[in-house]
Amino acid sequence: EQPYARGNLWSARRGTESLVLVGTYHLDDLRHPATLKAVTPHLEKASALLVEAGPDEEKALMDHVGKNPSAMFIIDGPTLLERLPAETWNRLSRAMAERGVPGFMASKFQPWYATVVLAIPPCAVAEMTDPKGLDGLLIDAAQADGVPVKALEPYDTVLKLFGGLTEADQIAMIEQSLATEDQAEDFAATLVEAYFRGESRLMWELMRDQAYAQPGMTRDQVDSDFALMEKLLMDDRNRAWIPVIDAAAAEGPLVVAFGALHLPGQNGVLNLLAQDGWTITPLE
């Protein structure tokens, strides 16, 4: 079993420095206020709230894409309709249509951005008039209490991560995302239940297991694709966050909130902090 495999709320101490770490779920759920209530006393005493991206970073990203639309959209050259095998494009266009994105628009998505959109289940897209995952609720609470909100990484981190991928890698990620599309709603329900049980890592392994069953995919190929996604989306970012957390912790107690999948594992934030001299304790 991986280290720190279960739980969404943790504390960490190192000498006089202290952290409360919150594994978040980025979409709406009626159970988030209970978590927020548990974290609020720590937030009120914090010198800062650290999140993956705060309001300033979200604005900077939107400004960047406004000036550089090719960061997210195919401006020149063949579209996804022309780049993808016909069967893959048909599945992708159906999946996008279920999320309210017409085919002509989806065909102009950069491959990595199509993967990001596929990660949001159709039922959640329909409800996203003013999305407030746990991250958003924590940011609102911090701002209401006058607690500074700081980012764990620069606004363009994800653009650079995906920008460094080959087109073949990006298309493989689309294929992996489509592997569970027929059960997208079931997966979404299972994911959120696993999250509230503190078992987010289980979903990663369930997705891997489903991918093994896809026609034309070998176990080695699936494991290779998943290793790439884990390195890109989690491991490399986790390592980059540790010095940011260390520097901010020197200024006073912190609440640090990020997607729950970043918590567990050998290369998870909790294990990396433990290796950095922090004592990690689960919070109720």
Side-chain angles (χ1 to χ4, degrees):
E1 182 162 297
Q2 302 229 345
Y4 308 104
R6 291 180 176 82
N8 295 326
L9 297 177
W10 300 80
S11 69
R13 297 196 71 86
R14 186 176 65 180
T16 59
E17 298 173 324
S18 67
L19 312 171
V20 167
L21 298 120
V22 186
T24 65
Y25 177 70
H26 297 317
L27 301 179
D28 291 340
D29 194 277
L30 295 174
R31 290 164 284 189
H32 285 327
T35 310
L36 182 65
K37 186 177 178 182
V39 176
T40 296
H42 304 286
L43 191 59
E44 290 170 345
K45 294 181 284 190
S47 65
L49 168 68
L50 267 60
V51 291
E52 293 177 52
D56 291 347
E57 287 70 36
E58 291 180 3
K59 182 180 184 304
L61 178 60
M62 290 300 100
D63 289 348
H64 177 82
V65 172
K67 294 171 186 167
N68 305 278
S70 62
M72 293 170 75
F73 303 101
I74 297 168
I75 305 301
D76 297 309
T79 66
L80 286 182
L81 168 62
E82 297 159 294
R83 295 187 200 184
L84 294 174
E87 194 267 340
T88 303
W89 167 251
N90 289 337
R91 290 162 64 210
L92 176 63
S93 60
R94 282 198 304 272
M96 289 295 180
E98 290 182 0
R99 290 161 176 79
V101 180
F104 74 88
M105 186 182 295
S107 72
K108 294 183 180 297
F109 284 0
Q110 291 288 0
W112 71 265
Y113 185 49
T115 304
V116 171
V117 175
L118 287 173
I120 306 170
C123 58
V125 173
E127 296 163 4
M128 287 177 73
T129 49
D130 182 25
K132 285 287 181 194
L134 183 57
D135 316 70
L137 294 174
L138 286 164
I139 289 168
D140 288 351
Q143 291 179 321
D145 287 336
V147 176
V149 178
K150 299 179 180 179
L152 285 161
E153 58 194 12
Y155 78 89
D156 59 351
T157 297
V158 172
L159 295 180
K160 287 180 176 175
L161 288 174
F162 285 113
L165 284 177
T166 66
E167 178 158 319
D169 285 336
Q170 292 190 52
I171 289 173
M173 290 173 74
I174 291 178
E175 293 276 10
Q176 292 292 359
S177 299
L178 288 171
T180 56
E181 181 59 28
D182 290 346
Q183 303 144 297
E185 306 293 355
D186 292 342
F187 256 77
T190 305
L191 168 62
V192 72
E193 293 306 320
Y195 166 75
F196 281 102
R197 290 197 312 271
E199 296 181 331
S200 295
R201 181 71 198 189
L202 272 181
M203 275 308 296
W204 184 257
E205 298 307 328
L206 178 60
M207 288 165 59
R208 183 199 304 269
D209 197 57
Q210 291 289 313
Y212 287 150
Q214 293 304 302
M217 295 298 291
T218 66
R219 290 180 74 92
D220 285 349
Q221 182 61 49
V222 169
D223 286 340
S224 173
D225 291 345
F226 268 70
L228 175 67
M229 287 194 287
E230 188 162 2
K231 179 180 185 299
L232 192 76
L233 299 177
M234 293 183 274
D235 295 355
D236 288 351
R237 294 168 70 201
N238 294 348
R239 277 188 278 272
W241 293 350
I242 302 303
V244 179
I245 293 170
D246 281 347
E251 305 295 319
L254 300 175
V255 173
V256 189
F258 45 77
L261 262 178
H262 292 274
L263 286 169
Q266 294 291 341
N267 299 309
V269 169
L270 295 175
N271 202 47
L272 294 175
L273 286 170
Q275 293 171 0
D276 195 34
W278 293 86
T279 300
I280 312 294
T281 311
L283 280 176
E284 289 300 320

